[in-house]
Amino acid sequence: MAVLELQDVSQTFGSGELAVQALKPTTLNVEAGELVALLGPSGSGKSTLLLGISLIQPPTTGRIVIDGQTLYDNGPTGVDARAFRLRKIGFIFQQHNLIPFLTALENVALMLQLNGVGRREARRRARELMDYLEIGHRADSLPARLSGGEQQRVAIGRALANEPALILADEPTAALDTGRGTKVMALLRKIARERRSAVITVTHDHRMIEGFDTVYHMDDGRMTRVDRSAVVPGAAAH
């Protein structure tokens, strides 16, 4: 089942002679449990694509369907995009953006409370989630007392809190060393397989994409599927 369906989604900034097409017409399907990598240099359109998918920055043209709901069809469809994002899309960024005066547990529970879950139930579910992410022992720590890898796990917990169908990760390992980055990518693979979320990850780092199901390269706003063996050492042997 396709969690994400894009058809001819494009993004143009400006108009007339000053118009710049930052994202060429893009068609993409991502299935439940599929882990997708987006490679490409800065300015190639990767983040523009993620912003368009989530309607944070609605595209200029195209059709977007997430978890069976049409969000955009050459224009808004009337769906409350903000409420939909809260229920159906989890975001993971390079900067963790944790609330500094809330504990790790409270940062995760807050996402559930924003979605209407009572405080006690939100804390219970947040603690279960942190145990799943193997960071339950740090639940009562403030972000400043956590390592970079621990902060990223809390951020992943926050993204998972409402059991989203789709997770969008923008350079989630860029601020981590290779060891911690590898652990985060292994965790995203685990989430895709066990929780059946579709996961799209933007990355510059070819070392982090082993284990992805599908790899795309973006350049000048155009997305092309690439052979994993060309970018993952040893992939052809699997």
Side-chain angles (χ1 to χ4, degrees):
M1 173 185 173
V3 169
L4 172 67
E5 302 171 64
L6 304 182
Q7 184 176 355
D8 293 329
V9 171
S10 71
Q11 181 64 268
T12 300
F13 297 113
S15 59
E17 294 181 357
L18 299 178
V20 175
Q21 193 171 44
L23 180 66
K24 307 296 192 297
T26 299
T27 295
L28 172 68
N29 282 5
V30 184
E31 304 292 321
E34 184 176 1
L35 193 59
V36 173
L38 287 181
L39 301 175
S42 296
S44 61
K46 305 185 304 298
S47 295
T48 298
L49 178 58
L50 294 194
L51 291 172
I53 289 171
S54 60
L55 293 188
I56 291 175
Q57 182 176 278
T60 306
T61 66
R63 186 167 185 262
I64 300 173
V65 181
I66 299 177
D67 203 28
Q69 177 75 59
T70 302
L71 300 180
Y72 195 88
D73 195 356
N74 287 310
T77 60
V79 174
D80 184 337
R82 186 174 181 178
F84 185 89
R85 284 194 294 268
L86 185 61
R87 297 193 315 272
K88 294 292 186 177
I89 305 176
F91 296 92
I92 305 168
F93 302 102
Q94 176 180 343
Q95 302 300 323
H96 314 306
N97 298 320
L98 300 178
I99 299 174
F101 53 83
L102 297 182
T103 66
L105 179 73
E106 289 167 342
N107 266 278
V108 176
L110 178 62
M111 295 304 295
L112 289 155
Q113 291 176 266
L114 290 173
N115 208 29
V117 177
R119 181 176 181 274
R120 180 176 294 181
E121 175 65 9
R123 290 178 66 88
R124 184 191 68 78
R125 286 163 59 177
R127 192 169 292 277
E128 284 185 355
L129 188 52
M130 295 190 73
D131 287 341
Y132 173 78
L133 297 173
E134 299 179 357
I135 198 175
H137 62 293
R138 303 292 273 153
D140 297 324
S141 298
L142 292 172
R145 303 299 298 272
L146 303 176
S147 70
E150 289 171 337
Q151 289 182 37
Q152 189 61 295
R153 282 180 181 250
V154 175
I156 291 171
R158 182 180 57 192
L160 288 177
N162 290 314
E163 300 182 357
L166 176 65
I167 296 173
L168 302 177
D170 196 352
E171 298 285 1
T173 63
L176 304 176
D177 60 34
T178 299
R180 290 189 177 95
T182 299
K183 289 180 180 178
V184 166
M185 293 314 304
L187 183 56
L188 290 178
R189 285 194 292 275
K190 177 182 177 181
I191 289 164
R193 300 294 184 261
E194 296 181 0
R195 300 203 163 219
R196 304 301 295 165
S197 293
V199 181
I200 302 177
T201 301
V202 164
T203 182
H204 282 94
D205 192 345
H206 289 202
R207 297 173 300 174
M208 295 298 166
I209 64 173
E210 186 173 0
F212 279 80
D213 300 303
T214 317
V215 179
Y216 294 93
H217 184 268
M218 295 199 69
D219 188 34
D220 193 27
R222 193 179 306 278
M223 186 177 72
T224 306
R225 185 167 179 167
V226 298
D227 182 354
R228 289 181 65 254
S229 64
V231 291
V232 180
H238 293 294

